[in-house]
Amino acid sequence: MNLAELGVGAAIGYSLYKPLAEKNRQQINEIVSVQGYLYYKIGLFVGGIAVLLMCFFPWIFSKAEVPAWYTYTTFIVLLIAALSGYFFNYKQIVLTSDQKNYKLNYVVQGIKKYKGSSADFSYKLLV
């Protein structure tokens, strides 16, 4: 996956420093738009390669002791997780370049706490 990206994220992140410092929203939007376009193309390329690779799964995993559906399902789930960064999460580069990645960490930690507390609540209701 990183090989397909070819450093596009690092280059985009670097090019965002000046517009972020100057608060030039138009240039920031243009740069993120270019990144979205490039990541879309990269995501399609990686997805296409993955589909081609799945065509060869019967030969690659011919001696595997797990069922074929398990191999395909695992690969597809991991592929979707990896491709989501190319299609949806690419805008996080703005937070990283602006050195405000901690805001994302607050959201992730809040979701984890909510999930944990709701699971505890559900368990208490069942017991």
Side-chain angles (χ1 to χ4, degrees):
M1 296 293 255
N2 289 336
L3 194 61
E5 201 237 1
L6 295 173
V8 171
I12 296 290
Y14 178 76
S15 65
L16 279 170
Y17 284 126
K18 184 177 179 187
L20 284 168
E22 296 172 349
K23 297 187 182 353
N24 186 344
R25 288 185 178 265
Q26 181 180 355
Q27 194 172 10
I28 293 168
N29 288 339
E30 289 172 1
I31 292 170
V32 172
S33 176
V34 168
Q35 182 191 16
Y37 174 78
L38 291 173
Y39 269 27
Y40 178 77
K41 294 292 185 182
I42 292 168
L44 289 178
F45 175 75
V46 170
I49 295 296
V51 169
L52 284 175
L53 182 64
M54 287 187 341
C55 292
F56 295 102
F57 274 13
W59 293 285
I60 295 171
F61 297 105
S62 62
K63 296 181 183 178
E65 295 182 12
V66 295
W69 68 267
Y70 186 80
T71 306
Y72 283 102
T73 304
T74 304
F75 185 77
I76 290 170
V77 167
L78 293 173
L79 179 66
I80 290 170
L83 290 178
S84 69
Y86 290 116
F87 293 120
F88 305 114
N89 300 339
Y90 65 90
K91 294 180 184 177
Q92 288 177 335
I93 194 78
V94 176
L95 288 174
T96 304
S97 295
D98 203 15
Q99 298 178 358
K100 294 185 179 176
N101 219 14
Y102 64 91
K103 291 183 179 185
L104 182 62
N105 291 338
Y106 286 150
V107 172
V108 170
Q109 291 301 321
I111 291 171
K112 285 182 180 178
K113 286 183 182 180
Y114 173 75
K115 283 174 52 179
S117 64
S118 64
D120 289 343
F121 180 73
S122 300
Y123 178 74
K124 289 178 183 177
L125 284 176
L126 293 174
V127 174

